[in-house]
PDB file of all heavy atoms in Angstrom:
ATOM      1  N   PHE A  68       8.230  18.624 -21.368  1.00  0.00           N
ATOM      2  CA  PHE A  68       8.108  18.101 -20.043  1.00  0.00           C
ATOM      3  C   PHE A  68       9.257  17.097 -19.772  1.00  0.00           C
ATOM      4  O   PHE A  68       9.641  16.371 -20.623  1.00  0.00           O
ATOM      5  CB  PHE A  68       6.730  17.413 -19.819  1.00  0.00           C
ATOM      6  CG  PHE A  68       5.556  18.334 -19.838  1.00  0.00           C
ATOM      7  CD1 PHE A  68       5.693  19.650 -20.115  1.00  0.00           C
ATOM      8  CD2 PHE A  68       4.370  17.830 -19.481  1.00  0.00           C
ATOM      9  CE1 PHE A  68       4.544  20.486 -20.226  1.00  0.00           C
ATOM     10  CE2 PHE A  68       3.208  18.633 -19.456  1.00  0.00           C
ATOM     11  CZ  PHE A  68       3.307  19.912 -19.813  1.00  0.00           C
ATOM     12  N   THR A  69       9.691  17.014 -18.461  1.00  0.00           N
ATOM     13  CA  THR A  69      10.588  15.998 -18.103  1.00  0.00           C
ATOM     14  C   THR A  69      10.225  15.385 -16.824  1.00  0.00           C
ATOM     15  O   THR A  69       9.932  16.089 -15.820  1.00  0.00           O
ATOM     16  CB  THR A  69      12.047  16.667 -17.875  1.00  0.00           C
ATOM     17  OG1 THR A  69      12.422  17.325 -19.037  1.00  0.00           O
ATOM     18  CG2 THR A  69      13.015  15.549 -17.525  1.00  0.00           C
ATOM     19  N   ILE A  70      10.154  14.070 -16.809  1.00  0.00           N
ATOM     20  CA  ILE A  70       9.814  13.273 -15.622  1.00  0.00           C
ATOM     21  C   ILE A  70      11.112  12.725 -15.021  1.00  0.00           C
ATOM     22  O   ILE A  70      12.002  12.397 -15.729  1.00  0.00           O
ATOM     23  CB  ILE A  70       8.826  12.222 -15.897  1.00  0.00           C
ATOM     24  CG1 ILE A  70       8.383  11.450 -14.712  1.00  0.00           C
ATOM     25  CG2 ILE A  70       9.496  11.073 -16.841  1.00  0.00           C
ATOM     26  CD1 ILE A  70       7.214  10.404 -14.821  1.00  0.00           C
ATOM     27  N   SER A  71      11.113  12.727 -13.703  1.00  0.00           N
ATOM     28  CA  SER A  71      12.414  12.288 -12.996  1.00  0.00           C
ATOM     29  C   SER A  71      11.976  11.721 -11.653  1.00  0.00           C
ATOM     30  O   SER A  71      10.837  12.036 -11.224  1.00  0.00           O
ATOM     31  CB  SER A  71      13.376  13.375 -12.855  1.00  0.00           C
ATOM     32  OG  SER A  71      12.927  14.461 -12.078  1.00  0.00           O
ATOM     33  N   ARG A  72      12.792  11.000 -11.019  1.00  0.00           N
ATOM     34  CA  ARG A  72      12.455  10.489  -9.683  1.00  0.00           C
ATOM     35  C   ARG A  72      13.725  10.424  -8.879  1.00  0.00           C
ATOM     36  O   ARG A  72      14.789  10.354  -9.341  1.00  0.00           O
ATOM     37  CB  ARG A  72      11.862   8.913  -9.837  1.00  0.00           C
ATOM     38  CG  ARG A  72      12.845   7.970 -10.253  1.00  0.00           C
ATOM     39  CD  ARG A  72      12.077   6.609 -10.538  1.00  0.00           C
ATOM     40  NE  ARG A  72      11.419   6.055  -9.400  1.00  0.00           N
ATOM     41  CZ  ARG A  72      10.507   5.174  -9.344  1.00  0.00           C
ATOM     42  NH1 ARG A  72      10.008   4.779 -10.533  1.00  0.00           N
ATOM     43  NH2 ARG A  72       9.963   4.700  -8.167  1.00  0.00           N
ATOM     44  N   ASP A  73      13.436  10.518  -7.582  1.00  0.00           N
ATOM     45  CA  ASP A  73      14.526  10.500  -6.618  1.00  0.00           C
ATOM     46  C   ASP A  73      14.087   9.475  -5.575  1.00  0.00           C
ATOM     47  O   ASP A  73      13.309   9.695  -4.667  1.00  0.00           O
ATOM     48  CB  ASP A  73      14.793  11.836  -5.878  1.00  0.00           C
ATOM     49  CG  ASP A  73      15.919  11.906  -4.977  1.00  0.00           C
ATOM     50  OD1 ASP A  73      16.427  10.879  -4.568  1.00  0.00           O
ATOM     51  OD2 ASP A  73      16.442  12.978  -4.622  1.00  0.00           O
ATOM     52  N   ASN A  74      14.588   8.193  -5.752  1.00  0.00           N
ATOM     53  CA  ASN A  74      14.196   7.128  -4.941  1.00  0.00           C
ATOM     54  C   ASN A  74      14.604   7.283  -3.485  1.00  0.00           C
ATOM     55  O   ASN A  74      13.981   6.803  -2.528  1.00  0.00           O
ATOM     56  CB  ASN A  74      14.695   5.790  -5.466  1.00  0.00           C
ATOM     57  CG  ASN A  74      13.966   5.363  -6.697  1.00  0.00           C
ATOM     58  OD1 ASN A  74      12.993   5.842  -7.083  1.00  0.00           O
ATOM     59  ND2 ASN A  74      14.562   4.367  -7.342  1.00  0.00           N
ATOM     60  N   ALA A  75      15.672   8.067  -3.179  1.00  0.00           N
ATOM     61  CA  ALA A  75      16.084   8.311  -1.883  1.00  0.00           C
ATOM     62  C   ALA A  75      15.113   9.217  -1.102  1.00  0.00           C
ATOM     63  O   ALA A  75      15.012   9.151   0.109  1.00  0.00           O
ATOM     64  CB  ALA A  75      17.485   9.013  -1.840  1.00  0.00           C
ATOM     65  N   LYS A  76      14.372  10.114  -1.802  1.00  0.00           N
ATOM     66  CA  LYS A  76      13.354  10.969  -1.324  1.00  0.00           C
ATOM     67  C   LYS A  76      11.916  10.465  -1.567  1.00  0.00           C
ATOM     68  O   LYS A  76      11.007  11.198  -1.152  1.00  0.00           O
ATOM     69  CB  LYS A  76      13.467  12.315  -1.960  1.00  0.00           C
ATOM     70  CG  LYS A  76      14.783  13.081  -1.535  1.00  0.00           C
ATOM     71  CD  LYS A  76      14.918  14.482  -2.127  1.00  0.00           C
ATOM     72  CE  LYS A  76      16.176  15.142  -1.766  1.00  0.00           C
ATOM     73  NZ  LYS A  76      16.235  16.554  -2.260  1.00  0.00           N
ATOM     74  N   ASN A  77      11.754   9.358  -2.057  1.00  0.00           N
ATOM     75  CA  ASN A  77      10.478   8.830  -2.395  1.00  0.00           C
ATOM     76  C   ASN A  77       9.539   9.771  -3.146  1.00  0.00           C
ATOM     77  O   ASN A  77       8.440   9.944  -2.841  1.00  0.00           O
ATOM     78  CB  ASN A  77       9.839   8.342  -1.175  1.00  0.00           C
ATOM     79  CG  ASN A  77      10.375   7.104  -0.407  1.00  0.00           C
ATOM     80  OD1 ASN A  77      11.387   6.493  -1.015  1.00  0.00           O
ATOM     81  ND2 ASN A  77      10.111   6.812   0.824  1.00  0.00           N
ATOM     82  N   THR A  78      10.162  10.379  -4.220  1.00  0.00           N
ATOM     83  CA  THR A  78       9.461  11.525  -4.931  1.00  0.00           C
ATOM     84  C   THR A  78       9.605  11.371  -6.377  1.00  0.00           C
ATOM     85  O   THR A  78      10.785  11.056  -6.783  1.00  0.00           O
ATOM     86  CB  THR A  78       9.954  12.823  -4.438  1.00  0.00           C
ATOM     87  OG1 THR A  78       9.715  12.941  -2.986  1.00  0.00           O
ATOM     88  CG2 THR A  78       9.140  13.950  -5.014  1.00  0.00           C
ATOM     89  N   VAL A  79       8.602  11.674  -7.134  1.00  0.00           N
ATOM     90  CA  VAL A  79       8.616  11.689  -8.568  1.00  0.00           C
ATOM     91  C   VAL A  79       8.303  13.151  -8.954  1.00  0.00           C
ATOM     92  O   VAL A  79       7.420  13.737  -8.328  1.00  0.00           O
ATOM     93  CB  VAL A  79       7.815  10.683  -9.325  1.00  0.00           C
ATOM     94  CG1 VAL A  79       6.349  10.857  -8.930  1.00  0.00           C
ATOM     95  CG2 VAL A  79       8.033  10.737 -10.742  1.00  0.00           C
ATOM     96  N   TYR A  80       8.928  13.692  -9.952  1.00  0.00           N
ATOM     97  CA  TYR A  80       8.713  15.089 -10.400  1.00  0.00           C
ATOM     98  C   TYR A  80       8.358  15.178 -11.777  1.00  0.00           C
ATOM     99  O   TYR A  80       8.646  14.246 -12.672  1.00  0.00           O
ATOM    100  CB  TYR A  80      10.065  15.884 -10.283  1.00  0.00           C
ATOM    101  CG  TYR A  80      10.694  15.880  -8.925  1.00  0.00           C
ATOM    102  CD1 TYR A  80      11.654  14.933  -8.527  1.00  0.00           C
ATOM    103  CD2 TYR A  80      10.286  16.756  -7.931  1.00  0.00           C
ATOM    104  CE1 TYR A  80      12.236  14.841  -7.349  1.00  0.00           C
ATOM    105  CE2 TYR A  80      10.864  16.719  -6.690  1.00  0.00           C
ATOM    106  CZ  TYR A  80      11.852  15.733  -6.411  1.00  0.00           C
ATOM    107  OH  TYR A  80      12.463  15.723  -5.065  1.00  0.00           O
ATOM    108  N   LEU A  81       7.585  16.206 -12.207  1.00  0.00           N
ATOM    109  CA  LEU A  81       7.335  16.513 -13.503  1.00  0.00           C
ATOM    110  C   LEU A  81       7.681  17.983 -13.747  1.00  0.00           C
ATOM    111  O   LEU A  81       6.997  18.867 -13.230  1.00  0.00           O
ATOM    112  CB  LEU A  81       5.864  16.321 -13.889  1.00  0.00           C
ATOM    113  CG  LEU A  81       5.400  16.491 -15.329  1.00  0.00           C
ATOM    114  CD1 LEU A  81       6.142  15.392 -16.181  1.00  0.00           C
ATOM    115  CD2 LEU A  81       3.974  16.449 -15.567  1.00  0.00           C
ATOM    116  N   GLN A  82       8.821  18.217 -14.475  1.00  0.00           N
ATOM    117  CA  GLN A  82       9.179  19.602 -14.880  1.00  0.00           C
ATOM    118  C   GLN A  82       8.422  19.928 -16.155  1.00  0.00           C
ATOM    119  O   GLN A  82       8.500  19.308 -17.094  1.00  0.00           O
ATOM    120  CB  GLN A  82      10.682  19.680 -15.030  1.00  0.00           C
ATOM    121  CG  GLN A  82      11.120  21.053 -15.405  1.00  0.00           C
ATOM    122  CD  GLN A  82      10.961  22.116 -14.477  1.00  0.00           C
ATOM    123  OE1 GLN A  82      11.298  21.922 -13.321  1.00  0.00           O
ATOM    124  NE2 GLN A  82      10.349  23.183 -14.848  1.00  0.00           N
ATOM    125  N   MET A  83       7.634  21.004 -16.118  1.00  0.00           N
ATOM    126  CA  MET A  83       6.831  21.428 -17.230  1.00  0.00           C
ATOM    127  C   MET A  83       7.304  22.779 -17.640  1.00  0.00           C
ATOM    128  O   MET A  83       7.212  23.749 -16.910  1.00  0.00           O
ATOM    129  CB  MET A  83       5.349  21.494 -16.897  1.00  0.00           C
ATOM    130  CG  MET A  83       4.806  20.215 -16.271  1.00  0.00           C
ATOM    131  SD  MET A  83       3.134  20.148 -15.966  1.00  0.00           S
ATOM    132  CE  MET A  83       2.887  21.414 -14.696  1.00  0.00           C
ATOM    133  N   ASN A  84       7.913  22.903 -18.913  1.00  0.00           N
ATOM    134  CA  ASN A  84       8.362  24.113 -19.529  1.00  0.00           C
ATOM    135  C   ASN A  84       7.494  24.449 -20.770  1.00  0.00           C
ATOM    136  O   ASN A  84       6.834  23.544 -21.300  1.00  0.00           O
ATOM    137  CB  ASN A  84       9.803  23.955 -19.880  1.00  0.00           C
ATOM    138  CG  ASN A  84      10.732  23.712 -18.765  1.00  0.00           C
ATOM    139  OD1 ASN A  84      10.505  24.136 -17.598  1.00  0.00           O
ATOM    140  ND2 ASN A  84      11.791  22.877 -18.944  1.00  0.00           N
TER     141      ASN A  84
END
Side-chain angles (χ1 to χ4, degrees):
F68 291 10
T69 302
I70 188 171
S71 62
R72 67 190 295 161
D73 187 339
N74 286 349
K76 295 181 177 179
N77 293 347
T78 302
V79 63
Y80 305 95
L81 185 68
Q82 178 66 48
M83 305 186 294
N84 298 326

